[in-house]
Amino acid sequence: MLKELDPYTTFFNEQDVLKFKINNTGEYTGIGAMVQRKEGKVFLKEVYKGFPADKAGFKAGDEITQIGDVNLKEYTEDASQLLRGAKNTNIAIKFIRQGKAQTATIILDEVEIKAVPFYSLLKDNVGYIVLTKFTEKASAETKTALLDLKKQGATKIVLDLRGNPGGLLHEAVNICNLYVPKDELIVTTKSKNPKHNQVYKTKFEPVDLEIPLVVLVDGKSASASEIVSGAIQDLDRGVVMGSRSFGKGLVQRPLNLSYGTQVKVTISRYYTPSGRCIQALDYGHKDENGKAVKKAQNEFNAFQTKKGRTVYDGGGVLPDVEIEETKTANITDALVKKDAVFNFATQLYYKNPNATGIPVVSDADFAGFKTYLKQEKISLDTETNKALKNVLESAKKEKIDTQIATEYKQLENALERNQEIELETNKNQIKKLLQEELIIRYQYREGLYDFYTKNNLEIEKAVELLNNQTKYKTLLKK
């Protein structure tokens, strides 16, 4: 029943409710690692620095096979819940690393994942703040970072919301409030039921109304990230840079059910101060395949910012300065989705696990990656691949698959050849992702952010723009 609505209207069992609370606070008692289940196997996707999993020697890529007495082969529930409990609890874990079965014990401890895991003063007095999620402490941590950077001499700010999936709405409003006046409209929610219509304004005195500001977004910046970037853009308070954000503008409300469960129901949509709807896909209108419809560019509507600049809807936030080079190719997205980049990075890491300095991905490594894709027979589910598979399925149903077998094989071979070309075309993009994955293995997430401050195109362009105040003010029509 819920699947017929939208992907954000979901049922939460007791464990889901607990996980939802953890996401909002960023605090729990556990092992301090990101756990992922894929194709019936449970892996550690990332190990956080200084927490129990790290102290016990676990690494990203380890496959967990048993937690305590529970064999994960037969366990279909969320395995991460077995890694939570009272502080100082000892948990015996069996795992496989590079094909070798091993055993270790983890002692559970309090874990706090910061909303602002990194901030730094860059060259030319530019302060750089990374905000990864909108938890209950997001605005407080962002404020602390801003004040500290100003104390260090920052006269310009880059707020990095790339990859930020969102979180608490009021924290998005409070983060805008650091840069805009009290009583400023930040976001409106509109519903079919007028009682759910809400207007959200800033409630406090700001930290700095004048400091030049660039907000970085990408295709994974969603929800609360889009509220912040959309409001900063509509109020002409800063320049948004990067690539179009995700377009998640549907508001959910959790409703309590029996036995500690909940149903999270979509009740309204987000609108930026200019009146733009953030939502990209319209789940009220679906095509013949049951997929939600996305507006075509010629259907986008124009809106005016506070100072009269023209901005458009169409889902998500379109940056004031688009950086074409940052848009990932379809084949790159498919490689990430299939965990091909992650798994090959694990292989590269174990070739030299004690390396120091910034890891480099060579052309020989890239050639090895292409060989790995063939050996593992990794099928890349790009839109064209999916369409071709659908053709075969339809042909089987209509019993004409044998008649078109030759043509189908020719198309399949042509796609394989094209895949080779696409891999070469996007070689630098893929090598960059492999390098970033390796940096996380050797130097944790903090090391990656530090690497970005010296080796990231979007940050370079943001600093360049902030240093050219004429261009910055022209973009904002000041």
Side-chain angles (χ1 to χ4, degrees):
M1 181 180 75
L2 298 181
K3 279 179 185 172
E4 290 176 13
L5 300 172
D6 64 77
Y8 309 110
T9 297
T10 51
F11 173 74
F12 276 8
N13 61 30
E14 279 184 283
Q15 290 179 345
D16 294 331
V17 173
L18 178 65
K19 210 187 301 178
F20 184 61
K21 286 176 183 170
I22 287 167
N23 284 340
N24 285 347
T25 61
E27 298 173 9
Y28 62 97
T29 300
I31 67 166
M34 188 189 296
V35 180
Q36 174 182 293
R37 178 185 281 275
K38 202 155 195 181
E39 293 168 0
K41 294 180 179 180
V42 176
F43 292 92
L44 293 187
K45 189 80 172 171
E46 186 178 345
V47 175
Y48 305 134
K49 186 179 180 181
F51 290 116
D54 185 31
K55 288 176 181 175
F58 282 90
K59 302 289 181 188
D62 288 346
E63 182 195 341
I64 309 296
T65 56
Q66 188 165 320
I67 301 171
D69 298 328
V70 182
N71 186 322
L72 298 187
K73 209 172 248 184
E74 293 100 40
Y75 191 77
T76 55
E77 300 295 317
D78 181 2
S80 65
Q81 298 303 318
L82 299 172
L83 299 168
R84 298 206 174 110
K87 187 177 176 177
N88 295 324
T89 301
N90 286 352
I91 298 181
I93 293 177
K94 290 182 181 177
F95 64 100
I96 296 170
R97 177 181 295 170
Q98 296 291 283
K100 187 181 172 187
Q102 300 185 45
T103 307
T105 300
I106 288 186
I107 303 168
L108 300 188
D109 201 354
E110 289 168 7
V111 176
E112 183 182 356
I113 309 301
K114 288 192 172 293
V116 177
F118 184 89
Y119 66 91
S120 174
L121 185 67
L122 311 183
K123 62 180 182 181
D124 304 320
N125 296 326
V126 175
Y128 172 64
I129 302 171
V130 179
L131 178 63
T132 58
K133 53 179 71 177
F134 289 80
T135 61
E136 288 170 356
K137 293 182 180 177
S139 60
E141 288 180 25
T142 307
K143 184 178 181 179
T144 299
L146 176 60
L147 291 171
D148 192 23
L149 287 167
K150 279 167 67 75
K151 200 182 286 182
Q152 290 180 47
T155 55
K156 295 152 273 193
I157 293 291
V158 176
L159 178 63
D160 194 342
L161 298 179
R162 290 175 297 171
N164 185 322
L168 299 173
L169 169 61
H170 66 268
E171 285 299 292
V173 176
N174 290 342
I175 284 163
C176 290
N177 200 168
L178 300 173
Y179 305 99
V180 303
K182 187 179 178 181
D183 292 324
E184 191 74 69
L185 173 67
I186 299 299
V187 64
T188 306
T189 62
K190 294 179 185 175
S191 172
K192 287 182 180 177
N193 186 340
K195 77 174 185 178
H196 295 309
N197 292 354
Q198 297 280 344
V199 172
Y200 295 89
K201 294 184 177 183
T202 50
K203 294 178 180 177
F204 311 106
E205 292 303 324
V207 169
D208 195 323
L209 292 174
E210 297 299 325
I211 195 164
L213 174 67
V214 168
V215 180
L216 295 178
V217 295
D218 64 10
K220 292 177 182 172
S221 307
S223 193
S225 293
E226 297 173 297
I227 289 170
V228 171
S229 51
I232 293 296
Q233 187 177 56
D234 282 0
L235 299 172
D236 302 296
R237 178 58 189 88
V239 172
V240 179
M241 187 181 271
S243 48
R244 186 185 277 278
S245 62
F246 183 80
K248 197 273 185 185
L250 298 179
V251 187
Q252 286 75 43
R253 172 169 291 179
L255 302 173
N256 292 326
L257 301 175
S258 55
Y259 305 109
T261 63
Q262 288 181 345
V263 61
K264 187 162 64 88
V265 183
T266 298
I267 58 166
S268 50
R269 292 172 183 255
Y270 289 129
Y271 293 82
T272 68
S274 68
R276 288 181 291 165
C277 181
I278 292 170
Q279 180 61 20
L281 295 171
D282 184 356
Y283 293 100
H285 297 88
K286 296 180 180 178
D287 62 20
E288 62 275 12
N289 299 316
K291 288 188 175 178
V293 175
K294 196 171 191 175
K295 265 188 185 178
Q297 196 160 339
N298 60 1
E299 298 175 308
F300 290 178
N301 301 302
F303 295 83
Q304 299 295 308
T305 68
K306 203 169 188 182
K307 292 189 176 175
R309 292 189 298 143
T310 302
V311 287
Y312 296 90
D313 61 8
V317 175
L318 184 68
D320 302 303
V321 179
E322 283 193 274
I323 304 174
E324 284 298 319
E325 303 95 315
T326 65
K327 291 179 181 174
T328 53
N330 287 339
I331 194 161
T332 311
D333 291 337
L335 288 167
V336 171
K337 194 175 177 185
K338 284 280 184 177
D339 279 335
V341 170
F342 176 83
N343 291 335
F344 189 70
T346 303
Q347 288 188 18
L348 288 178
Y349 171 79
Y350 283 109
K351 281 183 181 176
N352 194 1
N354 300 312
T356 55
I358 301 299
V360 175
V361 178
S362 65
D363 285 349
D365 292 331
F366 184 71
F369 179 61
K370 291 199 291 184
T371 304
Y372 162 79
L373 293 178
K374 283 178 182 169
Q375 284 174 345
E376 296 297 316
K377 296 185 175 133
I378 291 172
S379 163
L380 299 178
D381 292 332
T382 60
E383 289 304 313
T384 313
N385 283 91
K386 286 179 193 170
L388 189 61
K389 282 178 186 172
N390 289 338
V391 166
L392 185 63
E393 289 306 311
S394 299
K396 282 177 181 174
K397 282 177 190 171
E398 293 171 14
K399 297 181 178 172
I400 58 166
D401 51 307
T402 49
Q403 288 96 306
I404 65 163
T406 306
E407 291 84 352
Y408 182 85
K409 191 64 186 170
Q410 285 171 346
L411 272 172
E412 209 172 35
N413 291 338
L415 270 180
E416 272 181 36
R417 287 193 299 274
N418 184 65
Q419 188 171 298
E420 276 287 324
I421 295 163
E422 283 290 298
L423 283 168
E424 278 301 321
T425 304
N426 296 288
K427 176 180 175 178
N428 290 338
Q429 201 174 80
I430 296 162
K431 280 174 72 174
K432 178 172 166 279
L433 285 177
L434 283 166
Q435 183 187 35
E436 289 176 0
E437 189 61 57
L438 283 172
I439 291 169
I440 295 171
R441 307 296 174 100
Y442 290 110
Q443 300 165 22
Y444 304 92
R445 182 69 57 173
E446 294 88 337
L448 180 62
Y449 296 132
D450 188 53
F451 173 76
Y452 279 167
T453 62
K454 306 170 195 76
N455 301 276
N456 184 262
L457 181 67
E458 295 97 307
I459 295 171
E460 276 175 36
K461 287 192 176 285
V463 171
E464 192 182 300
L465 176 62
L466 287 166
N467 285 332
N468 185 343
Q469 281 299 294
T470 306
K471 188 177 178 184
Y472 177 85
K473 286 175 182 176
T474 303
L475 280 167
L476 295 175
K477 283 195 175 173
K478 285 188 177 175

